[in-house]
Amino acid sequence: MPWLQLEFEIEQIYAEEFSFFLEQLGATAISLSASSNEAIFDEGDEENLLWDKTHVEALFDSEHDVDSLIIRLNKFASGKVTLNHKIKLLEDRDWVDEFKSEYQPLFFLDKICVSPSWHEQLKNKIPTIILDPGLAFGTGAHPTTSLCIEWFCVNDINNKIVIDYGCGSGILSMVAAKLGAKKVYAIDIDEGVLKVAGENIKNNKLEEIIVLGKPENLRIPKADILVANILKNPLIKLFDKFSRLTKSGGHLVLSGIVNKQVDECLSKYKSNFNMDKPVLRESWASLHGIRL
């Protein structure tokens, strides 16, 4: 069966709203990508997690009435944005298999592997986390996540108390647990994200090690290691809380920032942490410090 691919560009503030509406119209798949040049984690308001201009692609089966589809979409957009849309007829392909083929197991310093559930079980002794790409951020492929995972791989996690603040998919919590952490506190403020993280943790049989929840609902002890792979603005705002939650001599690992944001974060944290030089990868950075 051939497929219809609808493409248009909108302001990022409407991206989630339009994605939900496209699902209601019967879209089989929806993807969002940058139309403008700034990174997804730019310095703006942390509520705006997408790009300034967002390119939307939605896939429909060919039985959909194109005219009706466009009329309903334009009616929904009325007063918000003018849609300059394109429609393509795509040849019949196995889109599920094609999607799956893009995600292969990721290995980190031969210490940990992150693999999608549909991949054949690996025949090695490297600890493996089963994790499918989904709505919650974090599969290990993005530099901000891989920098944090690699820090865990080269440092002693065994029998440590770890806080993963802004846990997303739960990937960093699961890495810490697999590498020997005594207890991990996976924290996020988004109910939907916590649900996804909970399913991932359960699928990997790590419920006894990882405590999951919103910060206001947990009794969180001071940590030997606190990791936060989030945005610059919340990292700055959470300085006091992170200082309280990290033991004296404990480790702080921060990521989710672009290179140009490093100096501001270092300036904020150096009063309570002995901060190392940043580790840079592409346009991204991670920071490490030891609590004074």
Side-chain angles (χ1 to χ4, degrees), residues 59-75:
L59 198 67
F60 294 86
D61 66 60
S62 59
E63 295 180 359
H64 273 77
D65 184 328
V66 176
D67 292 335
S68 174
L69 188 67
I70 297 304
I71 289 171
R72 293 178 67 184
L73 194 58
N74 276 312
K75 184 177 180 181

Side-chain angles (χ1 to χ4, degrees), residues 244-259:
R244 291 194 303 270
L245 287 175
T246 308
K247 292 178 180 178
S248 177
H251 296 271
L252 176 77
V253 182
L254 306 178
S255 195
I257 56 176
V258 293
N259 294 349

